[in-house]
Amino acid sequence: MAKAASRFVCSECGAVTTKWSGQCDSCGAWNSISEEAPLAQGPGKQALGGARGRRMRLTDLGQDEAPPPRAASGLGELDRVLGGGLVPASAILVGGDPGIGKSTLLLQAAASFARKGMKAVYISGEEASAQVRLRAQRLGLGDSPVKLGTETNLRDILTTLEAEKPDIAVIDSIQTMWLDTVESAPGSVAQVRAAAHELTTFAKRHGVSVVLVGHVTKEGQIAGPRVVEHMVDTVLYFEGERGHQFRILRAVKNRFGPAAEIGVFEMTGDGLAEVENPSALFLSDRDRPAPGSVVFSGIEGTRPVLVEFQALVAPTPHAQPRRTVVGWDGGRLAMILAVLEARCGIPFAGLDVYLNVAGGMRVSEPAADLAVAAALLSAREDHALPPETVVFGELSLSGALRPVSQTENRLKEAAKLGFTQALLPERSKLGPDAGLGVTALPDLAALVGDVFGAG
Ligand code: TYD
Ligand code: MG
Protein backbone atom coordinates (compact mmCIF):
# COMPACT_ATOMS: atom_id res chain seq x y z
CA MET A 1 0.00 0.00 0.00
CA ALA A 2 1.33 3.43 -0.93
CA LYS A 3 2.26 5.71 1.94
CA ALA A 4 -0.46 8.30 2.48
CA ALA A 5 0.72 11.77 1.50
CA SER A 6 0.43 14.39 4.20
CA ARG A 7 -2.22 17.00 3.69
CA PHE A 8 -2.54 20.64 4.58
CA VAL A 9 -5.78 22.02 5.94
CA CYS A 10 -6.98 25.61 6.22
CA SER A 11 -8.39 26.18 9.67
CA GLU A 12 -10.60 29.01 8.39
CA CYS A 13 -12.51 27.28 5.63
CA GLY A 14 -11.39 23.65 5.84
CA ALA A 15 -9.91 23.58 2.32
CA VAL A 16 -7.41 20.74 1.79
CA THR A 17 -4.25 21.17 -0.27
CA THR A 18 -1.21 19.02 -0.94
CA LYS A 19 1.36 21.68 -0.12
CA TRP A 20 1.74 24.43 2.42
CA SER A 21 1.31 28.07 1.51
CA GLY A 22 1.08 31.32 3.45
CA GLN A 23 -2.34 32.19 2.12
CA CYS A 24 -5.29 29.90 1.56
CA ASP A 25 -6.30 29.76 -2.11
CA SER A 26 -9.96 29.17 -1.29
CA CYS A 27 -10.75 31.77 1.35
CA GLY A 28 -7.77 34.11 1.18
CA ALA A 29 -6.93 33.79 4.90
CA TRP A 30 -3.28 34.22 5.89
CA ASN A 31 -1.32 31.82 8.08
CA SER A 32 -4.29 29.53 8.44
CA ILE A 33 -2.83 26.43 6.79
CA SER A 34 -1.27 23.71 8.85
CA GLU A 35 -0.17 20.16 8.23
CA GLU A 36 -2.43 17.37 9.33
CA ALA A 37 -1.22 13.83 9.98
CA PRO A 38 -2.20 11.53 7.13
CA LEU A 39 -5.25 9.39 7.72
CA ALA A 40 -4.56 5.68 7.92
CA GLN A 41 -5.70 3.91 4.79
CA GLY A 42 -7.79 0.82 4.36
CA PRO A 43 -10.76 -0.67 6.19
CA GLY A 44 -11.62 0.52 9.67
CA LYS A 45 -10.03 -2.32 11.56
CA GLN A 46 -6.61 -1.58 10.13
CA ALA A 47 -7.05 2.14 10.67
CA LEU A 48 -7.62 1.57 14.37
CA GLY A 49 -4.66 -0.74 14.60
CA GLY A 50 -6.83 -3.81 15.06
CA ALA A 51 -7.71 -3.01 18.70
CA ARG A 52 -11.39 -3.32 19.51
CA GLY A 53 -13.31 -0.52 21.18
CA ARG A 54 -15.73 -0.73 24.06
CA ARG A 55 -19.32 -1.54 23.12
CA MET A 56 -21.53 1.51 23.49
CA ARG A 57 -24.94 1.51 25.11
CA LEU A 58 -27.57 2.72 22.66
CA THR A 59 -30.90 4.18 23.75
CA ASP A 60 -34.33 4.72 22.21
CA LEU A 61 -35.44 8.08 20.91
CA GLY A 62 -38.63 7.79 22.92
CA GLN A 63 -36.88 7.83 26.27
CA ASP A 64 -38.13 10.57 28.58
CA GLU A 65 -35.81 13.52 28.70
CA ALA A 66 -36.45 16.43 31.00
CA PRO A 67 -35.94 19.82 29.34
CA PRO A 68 -32.65 21.40 30.41
CA PRO A 69 -32.99 23.48 33.57
CA ARG A 70 -32.58 27.16 32.89
CA ALA A 71 -31.63 30.19 34.88
CA ALA A 72 -33.29 33.43 33.86
CA SER A 73 -31.13 36.55 34.06
CA GLY A 74 -34.08 38.84 34.55
CA LEU A 75 -33.04 40.69 31.38
CA GLY A 76 -36.09 39.54 29.44
CA GLU A 77 -34.69 40.20 25.98
CA LEU A 78 -31.51 38.24 26.71
CA ASP A 79 -33.45 35.33 28.21
CA ARG A 80 -35.68 35.23 25.14
CA VAL A 81 -32.70 34.96 22.79
CA LEU A 82 -31.17 32.20 24.91
CA GLY A 83 -34.42 30.27 24.52
CA GLY A 84 -35.81 31.00 27.99
CA GLY A 85 -32.69 31.49 30.08
CA LEU A 86 -29.17 30.25 30.52
CA VAL A 87 -28.61 26.49 30.37
CA PRO A 88 -26.05 25.35 32.97
CA ALA A 89 -22.70 24.15 31.62
CA SER A 90 -23.35 25.62 28.20
CA ALA A 91 -20.91 27.58 26.07
CA ILE A 92 -22.11 30.75 24.39
CA LEU A 93 -20.33 32.92 21.87
CA VAL A 94 -21.39 36.56 21.55
CA GLY A 95 -20.03 38.28 18.45
CA GLY A 96 -20.30 41.86 17.31
CA ASP A 97 -18.48 44.89 15.92
CA PRO A 98 -16.12 46.77 18.21
CA GLY A 99 -17.97 49.39 20.22
CA ILE A 100 -21.41 47.93 19.60
CA GLY A 101 -21.93 47.21 23.31
CA LYS A 102 -20.86 43.60 23.95
CA SER A 103 -18.94 44.37 27.12
CA THR A 104 -21.79 46.53 28.37
CA LEU A 105 -24.38 43.85 27.68
CA LEU A 106 -22.39 41.07 29.33
CA LEU A 107 -21.48 43.13 32.36
CA GLN A 108 -25.17 43.92 32.81
CA ALA A 109 -26.05 40.26 32.28
CA ALA A 110 -23.41 39.08 34.77
CA ALA A 111 -24.71 41.59 37.33
CA SER A 112 -28.26 40.49 36.71
CA PHE A 113 -27.37 36.82 37.26
CA ALA A 114 -25.36 37.71 40.35
CA ARG A 115 -28.29 39.62 41.82
CA LYS A 116 -30.40 36.49 41.37
CA GLY A 117 -28.00 34.59 43.59
CA MET A 118 -25.81 32.99 40.95
CA LYS A 119 -22.08 33.24 41.19
CA ALA A 120 -20.79 35.32 38.28
CA VAL A 121 -17.20 36.00 37.24
CA TYR A 122 -16.25 38.54 34.58
CA ILE A 123 -12.77 38.24 33.09
CA SER A 124 -11.60 41.09 30.92
CA GLY A 125 -8.56 40.68 28.71
CA GLU A 126 -9.07 44.04 27.05
CA GLU A 127 -9.68 46.59 29.76
CA ALA A 128 -8.07 47.37 33.11
CA SER A 129 -10.07 46.61 36.26
CA ALA A 130 -10.47 50.32 36.95
CA GLN A 131 -12.07 50.78 33.56
CA VAL A 132 -14.52 47.94 34.05
CA ARG A 133 -15.34 49.11 37.58
CA LEU A 134 -15.93 52.63 36.33
CA ARG A 135 -18.32 51.36 33.71
CA ALA A 136 -20.09 49.17 36.28
CA GLN A 137 -20.57 52.17 38.53
CA ARG A 138 -21.87 54.27 35.66
CA LEU A 139 -24.36 51.49 34.91
CA GLY A 140 -25.45 51.49 38.55
CA LEU A 141 -24.03 47.99 39.06
CA GLY A 142 -21.32 48.91 41.58
CA ASP A 143 -23.05 47.02 44.36
CA SER A 144 -23.72 43.81 42.45
CA PRO A 145 -21.70 40.79 43.60
CA VAL A 146 -19.92 40.11 40.30
CA LYS A 147 -16.31 39.03 40.67
CA LEU A 148 -13.98 40.83 38.33
CA GLY A 149 -10.62 39.71 36.95
CA THR A 150 -8.27 41.07 34.31
CA GLU A 151 -6.10 38.41 32.72
CA THR A 152 -5.23 36.99 29.34
CA ASN A 153 -3.31 33.87 30.36
CA LEU A 154 -5.81 31.08 30.00
CA ARG A 155 -3.96 28.71 32.29
CA ASP A 156 -4.35 31.18 35.16
CA ILE A 157 -7.96 31.87 34.26
CA LEU A 158 -8.90 28.19 34.23
CA THR A 159 -7.16 27.58 37.55
CA THR A 160 -9.01 30.54 39.06
CA LEU A 161 -12.37 29.42 37.70
CA GLU A 162 -11.78 25.90 38.93
CA ALA A 163 -11.18 27.23 42.44
CA GLU A 164 -13.99 29.82 42.37
CA LYS A 165 -16.58 27.43 40.85
CA PRO A 166 -18.86 30.15 39.44
CA ASP A 167 -22.19 29.44 37.73
CA ILE A 168 -21.35 31.77 34.90
CA ALA A 169 -18.04 33.10 33.59
CA VAL A 170 -17.75 35.83 30.95
CA ILE A 171 -14.51 35.87 28.93
CA ASP A 172 -14.07 39.23 27.21
CA SER A 173 -12.71 38.53 24.63
CA ILE A 174 -11.65 35.19 23.17
CA GLN A 175 -9.22 36.97 20.79
CA THR A 176 -7.15 38.29 23.70
CA MET A 177 -6.70 34.92 25.42
CA TRP A 178 -3.55 32.86 24.95
CA LEU A 179 -2.31 29.45 25.93
CA ASP A 180 1.38 28.96 26.71
CA THR A 181 1.25 25.59 24.96
CA VAL A 182 0.43 27.15 21.60
CA GLU A 183 3.23 28.87 19.74
CA SER A 184 1.49 31.75 18.08
CA ALA A 185 0.32 35.23 18.96
CA PRO A 186 -2.94 35.90 20.81
CA GLY A 187 -5.73 36.46 18.30
CA SER A 188 -4.20 34.05 15.79
CA VAL A 189 -6.30 31.23 14.45
CA ALA A 190 -4.41 28.61 16.43
CA GLN A 191 -4.70 30.51 19.73
CA VAL A 192 -8.37 31.33 19.32
CA ARG A 193 -9.18 27.75 18.42
CA ALA A 194 -7.21 26.31 21.32
CA ALA A 195 -8.59 28.82 23.83
CA ALA A 196 -12.17 28.22 22.72
CA HIS A 197 -11.62 24.47 22.94
CA GLU A 198 -10.21 24.72 26.48
CA LEU A 199 -13.04 26.96 27.63
CA THR A 200 -15.87 24.94 26.11
CA THR A 201 -14.55 21.67 27.54
CA PHE A 202 -14.08 23.43 30.87
CA ALA A 203 -17.74 24.50 30.74
CA LYS A 204 -18.92 20.90 30.23
CA ARG A 205 -16.56 19.33 32.72
CA HIS A 206 -17.07 21.78 35.56
CA GLY A 207 -20.69 22.74 35.03
CA VAL A 208 -19.88 26.40 34.45
CA SER A 209 -21.73 28.39 31.80
CA VAL A 210 -19.07 30.15 29.79
CA VAL A 211 -19.81 33.21 27.67
CA LEU A 212 -17.13 34.06 25.11
CA VAL A 213 -17.03 37.50 23.57
CA GLY A 214 -15.79 37.44 19.97
CA HIS A 215 -14.84 40.25 17.65
CA VAL A 216 -16.09 40.15 14.12
CA THR A 217 -14.17 40.74 10.93
CA LYS A 218 -15.02 43.37 8.34
CA GLU A 219 -17.11 40.75 6.57
CA GLY A 220 -19.23 40.40 9.70
CA GLN A 221 -18.02 36.98 10.82
CA ILE A 222 -16.48 36.10 14.14
CA ALA A 223 -12.74 36.63 13.75
CA GLY A 224 -10.74 33.44 13.99
CA PRO A 225 -11.57 29.95 12.93
CA ARG A 226 -15.10 29.04 11.95
CA VAL A 227 -14.73 25.97 14.15
CA VAL A 228 -15.31 28.10 17.25
CA GLU A 229 -18.92 28.47 16.16
CA HIS A 230 -19.19 24.69 15.94
CA MET A 231 -17.66 24.14 19.37
CA VAL A 232 -20.12 26.27 21.33
CA ASP A 233 -23.78 25.52 22.02
CA THR A 234 -25.10 28.94 21.19
CA VAL A 235 -23.92 31.71 18.88
CA LEU A 236 -25.38 35.17 19.35
CA TYR A 237 -24.63 38.25 17.28
CA PHE A 238 -25.00 41.70 18.71
CA GLU A 239 -25.70 44.08 15.88
CA GLY A 240 -26.94 47.55 15.08
CA GLU A 241 -25.91 50.67 13.27
CA ARG A 242 -23.36 52.73 15.15
CA GLY A 243 -25.40 55.91 14.55
CA HIS A 244 -28.61 54.36 15.88
CA GLN A 245 -29.32 53.65 19.51
CA PHE A 246 -31.03 50.31 18.78
CA ARG A 247 -29.15 47.06 19.24
CA ILE A 248 -30.33 43.64 18.22
CA LEU A 249 -29.13 40.44 19.82
CA ARG A 250 -29.72 37.65 17.35
CA ALA A 251 -29.39 33.90 17.92
CA VAL A 252 -27.82 32.35 14.82
CA LYS A 253 -27.30 28.96 16.45
CA ASN A 254 -28.85 27.55 19.58
CA ARG A 255 -28.70 23.93 20.67
CA PHE A 256 -31.18 24.69 23.45
CA GLY A 257 -33.76 26.88 21.77
CA PRO A 258 -35.05 28.35 18.55
CA ALA A 259 -32.44 30.03 16.35
CA ALA A 260 -33.24 33.34 14.64
CA GLU A 261 -34.78 34.67 17.86
CA ILE A 262 -34.01 38.33 18.48
CA GLY A 263 -33.82 40.56 21.53
CA VAL A 264 -34.01 44.30 21.11
CA PHE A 265 -32.13 46.81 23.25
CA GLU A 266 -31.63 50.52 23.25
CA MET A 267 -28.21 52.01 24.12
CA THR A 268 -28.80 54.80 26.59
CA GLY A 269 -26.56 56.86 28.85
CA ASP A 270 -27.13 54.26 31.58
CA GLY A 271 -26.32 51.22 29.49
CA LEU A 272 -28.60 48.95 27.53
CA ALA A 273 -32.32 49.16 28.14
CA GLU A 274 -34.69 46.45 27.01
CA VAL A 275 -37.21 47.29 24.33
CA GLU A 276 -40.35 45.36 24.91
CA ASN A 277 -42.33 46.62 21.96
CA PRO A 278 -39.87 46.72 19.07
CA SER A 279 -42.55 47.31 16.42
CA ALA A 280 -43.42 50.72 17.82
CA LEU A 281 -39.76 51.58 17.84
CA PHE A 282 -38.87 50.59 14.29
CA LEU A 283 -41.66 52.63 12.76
CA SER A 284 -40.93 56.27 12.09
CA ASP A 285 -43.57 58.96 12.48
CA ARG A 286 -46.41 57.82 10.30
CA ASP A 287 -48.93 60.63 10.39
CA ARG A 288 -48.58 61.66 6.78
CA PRO A 289 -48.51 59.35 3.76
CA ALA A 290 -44.97 59.23 2.37
CA PRO A 291 -44.13 57.91 -1.11
CA GLY A 292 -41.59 55.08 -0.96
CA SER A 293 -42.41 54.14 2.62
CA VAL A 294 -44.08 50.78 3.27
CA VAL A 295 -44.57 48.92 6.55
CA PHE A 296 -43.74 45.22 6.52
CA SER A 297 -45.14 42.86 9.11
CA GLY A 298 -42.28 40.45 9.69
CA ILE A 299 -41.53 37.54 12.00
CA GLU A 300 -38.24 37.57 13.93
CA GLY A 301 -37.77 34.29 15.76
CA THR A 302 -41.04 33.67 17.52
CA ARG A 303 -42.40 37.17 17.51
CA PRO A 304 -43.90 39.49 14.94
CA VAL A 305 -42.08 42.77 14.38
CA LEU A 306 -43.20 45.60 12.14
CA VAL A 307 -40.50 47.42 10.21
CA GLU A 308 -40.54 50.18 7.65
CA PHE A 309 -38.98 49.87 4.21
CA GLN A 310 -38.03 53.17 2.59
CA ALA A 311 -37.25 53.40 -1.12
CA LEU A 312 -35.99 56.27 -3.19
CA VAL A 313 -35.93 56.14 -6.99
CA ALA A 314 -34.28 58.97 -8.90
CA PRO A 315 -32.91 59.53 -12.43
CA THR A 316 -29.24 58.67 -12.53
CA PRO A 317 -26.46 60.87 -13.88
CA HIS A 318 -24.29 57.76 -14.30
CA ALA A 319 -24.09 55.24 -17.10
CA GLN A 320 -24.50 52.47 -14.51
CA PRO A 321 -27.41 53.24 -12.15
CA ARG A 322 -26.79 52.80 -8.43
CA ARG A 323 -28.45 50.12 -6.33
CA THR A 324 -27.88 50.85 -2.66
CA VAL A 325 -29.39 48.66 0.04
CA VAL A 326 -29.22 48.91 3.82
CA GLY A 327 -30.85 46.22 5.96
CA TRP A 328 -31.95 43.94 3.13
CA ASP A 329 -30.27 41.61 0.64
CA GLY A 330 -28.89 43.32 -2.48
CA GLY A 331 -29.35 40.19 -4.59
CA ARG A 332 -32.98 39.98 -3.60
CA LEU A 333 -33.50 43.64 -4.55
CA ALA A 334 -32.06 42.95 -8.00
CA MET A 335 -34.46 40.04 -8.37
CA ILE A 336 -37.49 42.14 -7.46
CA LEU A 337 -36.43 44.89 -9.88
CA ALA A 338 -36.05 42.26 -12.61
CA VAL A 339 -39.49 40.75 -11.92
CA LEU A 340 -41.09 44.22 -11.95
CA GLU A 341 -39.51 44.89 -15.31
CA ALA A 342 -40.01 41.52 -16.96
CA ARG A 343 -43.49 40.62 -15.66
CA CYS A 344 -45.11 44.01 -15.17
CA GLY A 345 -43.30 46.22 -17.68
CA ILE A 346 -42.01 48.64 -15.04
CA PRO A 347 -38.41 49.48 -16.04
CA PHE A 348 -35.85 50.82 -13.59
CA ALA A 349 -33.14 51.38 -16.20
CA GLY A 350 -31.69 54.86 -15.93
CA LEU A 351 -32.91 55.16 -12.34
CA ASP A 352 -30.87 55.03 -9.14
CA VAL A 353 -32.54 52.88 -6.47
CA TYR A 354 -31.96 53.25 -2.73
CA LEU A 355 -33.62 50.89 -0.27
CA ASN A 356 -33.35 51.21 3.47
CA VAL A 357 -34.87 49.49 6.50
CA ALA A 358 -35.62 52.15 9.12
CA GLY A 359 -34.16 51.99 12.61
CA GLY A 360 -31.05 49.96 11.76
CA MET A 361 -32.97 46.69 11.59
CA ARG A 362 -31.90 43.93 9.18
CA VAL A 363 -34.57 41.86 7.46
CA SER A 364 -33.82 38.53 5.83
CA GLU A 365 -37.29 37.05 5.33
CA PRO A 366 -38.42 36.50 1.72
CA ALA A 367 -41.85 37.44 3.07
CA ALA A 368 -40.71 41.05 2.71
CA ASP A 369 -40.60 40.76 -1.13
CA LEU A 370 -44.05 42.27 -1.59
CA ALA A 371 -43.30 45.13 0.81
CA VAL A 372 -40.06 45.89 -1.07
CA ALA A 373 -41.87 45.80 -4.42
CA ALA A 374 -44.56 48.11 -3.03
CA ALA A 375 -41.93 50.53 -1.67
CA LEU A 376 -40.15 50.60 -5.05
CA LEU A 377 -43.38 51.19 -6.96
CA SER A 378 -44.55 53.76 -4.47
CA ALA A 379 -41.28 55.68 -4.86
CA ARG A 380 -41.19 55.36 -8.63
CA GLU A 381 -44.83 56.39 -9.15
CA ASP A 382 -44.64 59.00 -6.35
CA HIS A 383 -47.79 57.41 -4.97
CA ALA A 384 -47.97 56.84 -1.21
CA LEU A 385 -49.87 53.92 0.28
CA PRO A 386 -52.31 54.92 3.02
CA PRO A 387 -50.14 55.13 6.18
CA GLU A 388 -52.22 52.56 8.07
CA THR A 389 -51.37 49.74 5.60
CA VAL A 390 -49.07 46.75 6.23
CA VAL A 391 -47.70 44.56 3.44
CA PHE A 392 -46.18 41.07 3.28
CA GLY A 393 -45.83 38.18 0.80
CA GLU A 394 -43.19 36.24 -1.10
CA LEU A 395 -42.58 36.82 -4.78
CA SER A 396 -41.71 34.13 -7.30
CA LEU A 397 -39.80 34.78 -10.50
CA SER A 398 -43.00 34.36 -12.51
CA GLY A 399 -44.47 37.35 -10.74
CA ALA A 400 -46.90 35.21 -8.72
CA LEU A 401 -47.28 35.83 -4.99
CA ARG A 402 -46.90 33.05 -2.46
CA PRO A 403 -48.54 33.04 0.97
CA VAL A 404 -46.11 33.13 3.90
CA SER A 405 -46.10 31.55 7.35
CA GLN A 406 -47.84 33.00 10.40
CA THR A 407 -50.23 35.27 8.49
CA GLU A 408 -52.49 35.53 11.52
CA ASN A 409 -49.68 36.63 13.88
CA ARG A 410 -48.49 39.22 11.40
CA LEU A 411 -51.99 40.68 11.09
CA LYS A 412 -52.58 40.60 14.84
CA GLU A 413 -49.42 42.59 15.53
CA ALA A 414 -50.39 45.13 12.85
CA ALA A 415 -53.90 45.51 14.30
CA LYS A 416 -52.40 45.96 17.77
CA LEU A 417 -50.36 48.91 16.50
CA GLY A 418 -53.34 50.60 14.89
CA PHE A 419 -53.00 49.44 11.28
CA THR A 420 -56.31 48.95 9.49
CA GLN A 421 -55.37 47.60 6.04
CA ALA A 422 -53.21 44.73 4.80
CA LEU A 423 -51.92 43.83 1.32
CA LEU A 424 -51.08 40.14 1.14
CA PRO A 425 -50.99 37.18 -1.27
CA GLU A 426 -54.13 35.39 -2.33
CA ARG A 427 -54.63 32.01 -0.61
CA SER A 428 -53.08 33.31 2.63
CA LYS A 429 -54.46 31.43 5.63
CA LEU A 430 -56.60 33.96 7.43
CA GLY A 431 -58.21 33.42 10.81
CA PRO A 432 -61.95 33.93 11.36
CA ASP A 433 -61.41 37.59 12.19
CA ALA A 434 -58.40 39.21 10.60
CA GLY A 435 -58.92 42.36 12.66
CA LEU A 436 -58.21 44.58 9.68
CA GLY A 437 -59.26 45.04 6.06
CA VAL A 438 -57.46 42.63 3.74
CA THR A 439 -56.65 43.09 0.06
CA ALA A 440 -55.57 39.71 -1.36
CA LEU A 441 -53.38 39.92 -4.49
CA PRO A 442 -52.84 37.01 -6.93
CA ASP A 443 -49.65 38.42 -8.42
CA LEU A 444 -47.37 41.40 -8.75
CA ALA A 445 -49.33 42.72 -11.73
CA ALA A 446 -52.31 43.19 -9.42
CA LEU A 447 -50.18 45.30 -7.08
CA VAL A 448 -48.96 47.38 -10.01
CA GLY A 449 -52.37 47.84 -11.64
CA ASP A 450 -54.97 47.71 -8.88
CA VAL A 451 -53.02 49.37 -6.07
CA PHE A 452 -50.80 51.84 -7.89
CA GLY A 453 -52.76 52.24 -11.15
CA ALA A 454 -49.52 51.85 -13.12
CA GLY A 455 -48.21 49.42 -15.74
P1 TYD B 1 -18.78 48.43 24.75
O1 TYD B 1 -19.66 47.62 25.61
O2 TYD B 1 -17.44 48.79 25.27
O3 TYD B 1 -18.61 47.77 23.31
P2 TYD B 1 -17.82 46.45 22.85
O4 TYD B 1 -17.46 45.68 24.06
O5 TYD B 1 -18.78 45.76 21.92
O6 TYD B 1 -16.63 46.94 22.10
O7 TYD B 1 -19.62 49.73 24.40
C1 TYD B 1 -19.00 50.84 23.94
C2 TYD B 1 -19.96 51.89 23.46
O8 TYD B 1 -21.19 51.96 24.17
C3 TYD B 1 -19.28 53.19 23.66
O9 TYD B 1 -19.15 53.80 22.38
C4 TYD B 1 -20.14 53.99 24.56
C5 TYD B 1 -21.46 53.29 24.57
N1 TYD B 1 -22.09 53.30 25.91
C6 TYD B 1 -23.22 54.06 26.12
O10 TYD B 1 -23.72 54.74 25.21
N2 TYD B 1 -23.82 54.03 27.35
C7 TYD B 1 -23.31 53.30 28.38
O11 TYD B 1 -23.88 53.33 29.49
C8 TYD B 1 -22.13 52.54 28.16
C9 TYD B 1 -21.51 51.72 29.24
C10 TYD B 1 -21.56 52.55 26.90
MG1 MG C 1 -15.58 45.28 24.83
Side-chain angles (χ1 to χ4, degrees):
M1 195 165 51
K3 186 179 174 294
S6 56
R7 41 183 236 155
F8 296 84
V9 179
C10 170
S11 56
E12 288 279 344
C13 66
V16 179
T17 52
T18 50
K19 62 181 202 307
W20 188 87
S21 76
Q23 185 181 21
C24 174
D25 282 339
S26 318
C27 69
W30 287 94
N31 292 328
S32 61
I33 294 183
S34 55
E35 185 168 0
E36 216 166 67
L39 284 174
Q41 303 271 312
K45 210 166 169 189
Q46 266 162 313
L48 293 171
R52 290 179 64 108
R54 195 168 42 84
R55 184 161 172 197
M56 293 158 50
R57 206 162 60 83
L58 304 174
T59 61
D60 294 330
L61 291 174
Q63 216 151 352
D64 274 345
E65 204 64 64
R70 289 176 189 274
S73 66
L75 284 176
E77 294 295 298
L78 173 64
D79 293 337
R80 172 205 300 283
V81 176
L82 290 174
L86 187 70
V87 174
S90 60
I92 297 160
L93 178 63
V94 179
D97 286 329
I100 205 73
K102 300 178 297 295
S103 302
T104 308
L105 174 73
L106 292 171
L107 191 59
Q108 284 182 250
S112 221
F113 279 116
R115 285 198 173 134
K116 295 208 131 196
M118 290 171 68
K119 188 161 178 186
V121 171
Y122 184 100
I123 309 281
S124 178
E126 305 203 325
E127 294 164 297
S129 328
Q131 246 174 314
V132 181
R133 269 200 300 272
L134 212 65
R135 173 186 290 144
Q137 282 154 20
R138 198 146 71 77
L139 297 172
L141 306 173
D143 60 340
S144 99
V146 177
K147 290 267 172 266
L148 175 64
T150 46
E151 184 54 70
T152 54
N153 182 339
L154 204 58
R155 190 182 291 274
D156 294 349
I157 292 173
L158 292 177
T159 306
T160 310
L161 293 180
E162 214 175 314
E164 291 281 336
K165 298 194 176 47
D167 297 303
I168 172 171
V170 177
I171 307 293
D172 187 2
S173 66
I174 186 72
Q175 277 89 8
T176 55
M177 298 298 148
W178 62 279
L179 271 165
D180 45 21
T181 48
V182 177
E183 271 177 45
S184 50
S188 64
V189 165
Q191 281 288 6
V192 171
R193 175 163 61 177
H197 178 72
E198 288 298 327
L199 284 159
T200 47
T201 34
F202 180 87
K204 305 283 167 237
R205 194 167 310 140
H206 296 270
V208 177
S209 293
V210 174
V211 182
L212 309 175
V213 175
H215 292 294
V216 297
T217 59
K218 270 204 234 61
E219 293 78 41
Q221 282 164 359
I222 291 178
R226 244 13 238 284
V227 286
V228 175
E229 296 197 21
H230 301 299
M231 282 179 206
V232 296
D233 300 306
T234 303
V235 179
L236 308 179
Y237 273 93
F238 203 37
E239 38 182 60
E241 300 288 321
R242 203 72 74 78
H244 284 288
Q245 69 271 43
F246 312 128
R247 298 285 181 271
I248 292 159
L249 186 64
R250 190 185 291 277
V252 296
K253 162 182 172 180
N254 195 350
R255 286 189 185 143
F256 305 117
E261 193 66 88
I262 65 164
V264 184
F265 296 88
E266 189 176 354
M267 182 59 98
T268 69
D270 314 315
L272 291 157
E274 294 177 58
V275 174
E276 268 150 35
N277 189 349
S279 295
L281 188 137
F282 289 127
L283 299 181
S284 56
D285 240 350
R286 305 196 46 79
D287 300 339
R288 278 177 299 121
S293 152
V294 168
V295 176
F296 164 59
S297 189
I299 300 284
E300 291 291 341
T302 55
R303 103 181 122 167
V305 175
L306 300 193
V307 290
E308 181 186 338
F309 277 93
Q310 302 165 339
L312 178 67
V313 175
T316 182
H318 307 291
Q320 188 81 33
R322 287 175 75 98
R323 305 284 183 249
T324 305
V325 195
V326 178
W328 169 255
D329 178 41
R332 200 97 195 159
L333 171 68
M335 179 200 108
I336 293 170
L337 290 172
V339 175
L340 276 168
E341 175 149 8
R343 308 295 178 198
C344 311
I346 307 277
F348 282 84
L351 296 170
D352 284 337
V353 175
Y354 300 87
L355 184 74
N356 179 36
V357 180
M361 177 73 180
R362 223 182 54 213
V363 178
S364 54
E365 265 191 296
D369 291 352
L370 186 58
V372 172
L376 294 171
L377 281 168
S378 167
R380 189 181 185 282
E381 305 298 316
D382 197 26
H383 175 145
L385 285 181
E388 62 282 353
T389 309
V390 291
V391 182
F392 58 86
E394 188 180 338
L395 190 59
S396 64
L397 290 180
S398 67
L401 290 173
R402 273 200 292 261
V404 296
S405 64
Q406 305 204 39
T407 297
E408 262 187 273
N409 284 341
R410 294 175 199 267
L411 292 176
K412 226 186 272 167
E413 177 77 1
K416 206 169 83 190
L417 281 138
F419 287 81
T420 57
Q421 295 295 322
L423 293 179
L424 41 72
E426 226 174 48
R427 292 179 292 116
S428 290
K429 264 199 223 113
L430 299 173
D433 175 23
L436 63 182
V438 165
T439 307
L441 304 167
D443 53 22
L444 199 56
L447 177 79
V448 172
D450 303 351
V451 179
F452 288 100

